[in-house]
Amino acid sequence: MSKLVDPYFAIFRRFIPPLGVIDFSPIIALIAYRCLRGFALEDLRQLMNMMGV
């Protein structure tokens, strides 16, 4: 499983290094994912409304 998520976490680890034994990058990555997903779904809803679907 780490082979799937490590490339995504690596993006955040460049900006937020682990503090001792605590790694905050998974938390920040999850927040970013949820925000981007929310924006993408809202844009899709707006597009469908414009198309009359």
Side-chain angles (χ1 to χ4, degrees), residues 1-19:
M1 176 125 156
S2 67
K3 288 182 182 182
L4 289 173
V5 297
D6 278 343
Y8 182 62
F9 289 162
I11 296 167
F12 297 96
R13 285 186 181 127
R14 278 189 267 159
F15 303 106
I16 308 163
L19 300 173

Side-chain angles (χ1 to χ4, degrees), residues 10-49:
I11 296 167
F12 297 96
R13 285 186 181 127
R14 278 189 267 159
F15 303 106
I16 308 163
L19 300 173
V21 296
I22 301 172
D23 186 8
F24 289 104
S25 60
I27 297 167
I28 303 302
L30 180 61
I31 292 169
Y33 170 76
R34 296 193 93 190
C35 289
L36 290 173
R37 184 184 69 175
F39 289 131
L41 289 176
E42 185 59 34
D43 289 344
L44 183 60
R45 277 190 213 111
Q46 288 179 0
L47 180 62
M48 291 176 69
N49 284 337

